[in-house]
Amino acid sequence: MRKDVKQAANTFLLETYNFPEETRARLLEKATREILLNCQQLLSAISSGEKAAPTKCAHRLKSNLNALGLVALVQEAKSIEANTFCSGKALLGAAMNLRDKITDKPCSTPT
C-alpha cells in the first residue's frame, strides 16, 4: 500500500477506534493483502469480459477501502462498481488508475 494511503488508514483507525499501534499494524497488514488481491481480481475480471465479475470485485474493494476510512478511493471504487464506463477499455483504465492510487507495488496488467 502506498505510504500516504497507509498513513491515512492508520490515522483513521487511531482516531475512530483508538486501536493501539500493534493492532493497527496487524489490521493494515491484513487489509493491504486483501486490497492488493482485490485489485488484481478486479483487473482480471474486467479483462475477462464478464459483466458481473467486475462489479463483485469492485464491491469487495470498496468495502475494504471503506473499512479503513479511505473515502476518496471508496468513491472511485463505487464508480467502477456501478460500471458507468462506456467501454471495457475505459473501465480497465479506471481500475488501473485506482490501483495506482492505492499501491506502488506492481500487479500484473491484463492484456
Side-chain angles (χ1 to χ4, degrees):
M1 193 179 297
R2 295 178 67 89
K3 188 176 180 177
D4 57 332
V5 174
K6 195 171 201 170
Q7 182 58 45
N10 188 50
T11 300
F12 174 81
L13 292 172
L14 176 63
E15 292 176 355
T16 304
Y17 302 107
N18 199 27
F19 287 139
E21 186 175 341
E22 184 179 304
T23 302
R24 291 191 317 269
R26 268 195 334 267
L27 288 170
L28 286 172
E29 183 180 320
K30 182 175 167 76
T32 297
R33 282 193 308 270
E34 286 295 315
I35 288 169
L36 293 177
L37 177 63
N38 285 329
C39 283
Q40 185 61 47
Q41 289 173 340
L42 175 60
L43 292 172
S44 294
I46 292 168
S47 293
S48 74
E50 292 182 48
K51 295 297 180 191
T55 301
K56 191 179 206 181
C57 293
H59 181 77
R60 281 195 311 263
L61 182 57
K62 181 183 74 172
S63 296
N64 290 135
L65 295 168
N66 196 42
L68 297 175
L70 301 170
V71 179
L73 298 173
V74 168
Q75 292 305 316
E76 289 189 46
K78 197 181 279 188
S79 176
I80 294 168
E81 180 186 19
N83 198 358
T84 57
F85 299 91
C86 299
S87 70
K89 187 175 181 178
L91 183 61
L92 182 61
M96 289 171 56
N97 185 45
L98 177 57
R99 176 210 52 203
D100 292 345
K101 289 179 181 179
I102 294 170
T103 182
D104 48 12
K105 290 186 179 189
C107 293
S108 61
T109 304
T111 55

